[in-house]
Amino acid sequence: MRAHDNKINTLPLPFLFALFGLLLLVFVILNITLGSVQISLSEIWKSLLHKGDPVFQTVVMEIRFPRAVAAVFGGAALAVSGLLLQIFFRNPIADPYVLGVSSGATLLVAIVSLSGFAMGMRSVSPYLLSAAALIGALGVVALIVILAGKLKNVVTLLVVGMMIGFMCSAGTSFLIAFAEKEQVHSFTLWTLGSFSGFCWDEAAVLAIGGAVLLIASYLLCKPLNALLLGEDYAQSMGVDIRTLRVVIVVISSVLTALVTAFAGPVAFIGLAAPHLARLTLGSSDNKVLIPAAILIGALITTLCDLAARLVFAPVELPISAVTSLFGGPIVIFLLLKRKTSL
Amino acid sequence: MSVLQTEGLAVGYGERVVVDGVNLEALKGQFICLLGPNGSGKSTILRCLAGLLSPLKGSVYLKGDVLYRLEPKDLSRIMAVVLTDRLSPGLVTVFDVAAMGRYPYTNFFGHFSEDDRRKTWEALRLVNAHDLAERYFSELSDGEKQKVLLARALVQEPEVIVLDEPTTHLDVKHRLEVMEILRELTKEKGITVILSLHEIDLALKSCETALLVKNGKILAYGPPEVVLDEEMVTTLYDINSAHFSLCLGGMELVNNGGPMVYVLAGAGSGAPLYRFLNKCGFSIMTGVLHENDVDYHVGKALGARVIGEKAFEEISDRSFSKAALLSNQVPYIVESDYPVGSFNRRNADLARHILAQGKVIYSLRGREGARRLYGDGAAGMVFFPDFNSLGKRLKDLSREQQAGGE
């Protein structure tokens, strides 16, 4: 029958989820094994039990493991943030950055790293950068939340968010114009995102904060499903729209802010992972879509981080370059295979 | 018992009042319809009644409680809506769209019980959409979508359903189907239905109460048979080019000038012919028609000059001579394939009289039928197999005459 024409898979959902989970595990292990130093599985096992070679132990436990954890939670956070905003704005091209969260982070990072010298700073510590990015991102979130309660409809909010983004970018451009070349180079690399240099403290903040918010967004799946029919219908079915708006904006923005703070604005995952989840599952039901987006977001991010490290080793590519280059064709392919629009 | 009631309600957006002075009372199982031109504020009233918009003045009472003080969840168990928004919910099946109506009844995680499932299927079956259940909602036609949205509203088990223009964009079949379902709901389940419509004929044929809205005011409120007359419809929609006929329950485009045609008709054979000639640009004169003949009413509504006779009476001398006189002044005489019986047999005499004057009758009756009815007189007739050939000939003739006259 026509019913299933548009589904790309006919596989049962539990199988798909098991497949995604297994792939994720494989990629995480690959992320830890592969690199400038190859580390075998048994070495990893020994390192985990604190019995291995001290060099390997450092590489595994202090560098690669936290980085892999960060990629998993970072990818998942961006995917869910994008999904929430796509539903909220009923717009398939919404991504985690539409509300200006990353622009706020970028502006603060620019202030710290580009004008730091003027204020007498010799070098910029990564902690300071992360703190600046987090403050910038959360500042924009606070502004958006205040506005979300006041504005009549979500499209206005979308435009306001974009305007805030543009204003922050303008400030950033201003700083770039007056900055020195080397600073601009390292700043530009920051804006392209990277999971390198994650320490356990940072990874833990991202993982714990991310996990809490991911669970919170899963608890929203019932009102989110009602929102698929638009705000009026949702309200008529008993959804408290004003509260839901604020909750969605807070959860999605804080998820994005967490990732941006430590990894910079990682492009594409937040836009593409929700679509990939929808297309592979053939469903917009958030009860399955949110877990799928989490798994797919984590999957793509770990895979892309691996590629970013390995393809042109020892030069490490910015992760945004890899995500867009890999993900774009996949989304186009899936869209072409399906006849209905998003 | 009144389910929904408004008192001195003023609706609008921000400072701007769209409609003021809305006082209506909806009883259990009542079918209420809002009529009015585009932009008159029908949707705004409906949004306010549904609690999607707070009133600027006055109040809405739902079963005695002030509506906008109700908790969203309590409100949603009494009231459901079908809106005009074009929906694109993504990859959601028809069943899932309908199932969303269980929202106020399911638990925090939206767990779907056997009972919820059964109620969803019941609603889908009621609107004849159960065959579509597995399809994606976005693949459906407008008519199918509307039925599914209606099912979704029903799944909510409401006592009141508010629908904003539920028949717009639908074809005739779906339009009637939707109205029929709504009417059944009011009769069998005692659900109160409040909707806005564009089709006066549908309103007249299905609603118990009509609320006429124009220029921010309520023009009238009451049974459509009472409040909708020709004058009211003309005022409501500002139309001069069409006439409303309460008896026919619809609108007819008014004839405005053009060469005269005298039409011999009766028993419903005239109505389509009038409309056809009207569209071809002719003015119509017709008779003798009995007042209980549908042709009489269509003719009147079209703005034709109708020579009438009392119902079930034989055609009087007075009507006959009037018809004979008038038909003599008209350039073209046309007859439909009307039946001749004891009440209207003098119409056949009228035709013979016209033929005897040496005038041509353009007939749709067919040669054989005409010979049987008029005998040798039928020689003066011109026959046409269908409306099209007749219309073409008449247009040619009138063009020739115009050219000759100049």
Side-chain angles (χ1 to χ4, degrees), chain A residues 2-3 6-7 219 222-223 225-226 228-229 232-233 235-239 278 282-284 287 338 340 342, chain B residues 47 51-52 72 76 81-83 87 89-92 100 103-104 106-110 135-136 139 149 152 156:
Chain A
R2 285 200 51 196
N6 282 316
K7 281 197 182 173
L219 296 180
K222 183 182 170 191
N225 276 346
L228 290 175
L229 294 182
D232 281 345
Y233 274 112
Q235 197 181 339
S236 82
M237 290 188 273
V239 178
R278 252 191 294 268
S283 170
S284 294
K287 252 183 252 173
R338 212 171 57 108
T340 47
L342 290 168
Chain B
R47 284 178 65 83
L52 295 173
S76 62
V81 295
V82 176
L83 303 167
L87 293 180
L91 301 173
V92 181
M100 282 181 195
Y103 191 96
T106 54
N107 68 9
F108 183 81
F109 290 98
R135 300 258 303 270
Y136 283 128
E139 296 175 338
L149 289 173
R152 191 212 61 79
Q156 227 170 303

Side-chain angles (χ1 to χ4, degrees), chain B residues 212-282:
Chain B
L212 311 186
V213 193
K214 195 195 174 187
N215 289 343
K217 282 198 286 290
I218 306 298
L219 287 191
Y221 175 55
E225 293 77 10
V226 177
V227 296
L228 283 172
D229 54 23
E230 195 180 321
E231 200 189 328
M232 182 55 91
V233 172
T234 311
T235 330
L236 187 62
Y237 291 100
D238 280 328
I239 19 181
N240 300 314
S241 57
H243 270 184
F244 173 75
S245 159
L246 186 62
C247 157
L248 296 172
M251 308 288 294
E252 290 289 353
L253 284 173
V254 169
N255 173 322
N256 38 12
M260 273 285 184
V261 176
Y262 194 97
V263 183
L264 291 155
S269 65
L273 183 56
Y274 299 152
R275 291 192 187 111
F276 175 74
L277 291 172
N278 197 357
K279 280 185 283 180
C280 291
F282 294 98

Side-chain angles (χ1 to χ4, degrees), chain B residues 201 227 335 346 362:
Chain B
D201 54 333
V227 296
E335 71 155 5
R346 293 193 74 187
Y362 301 96

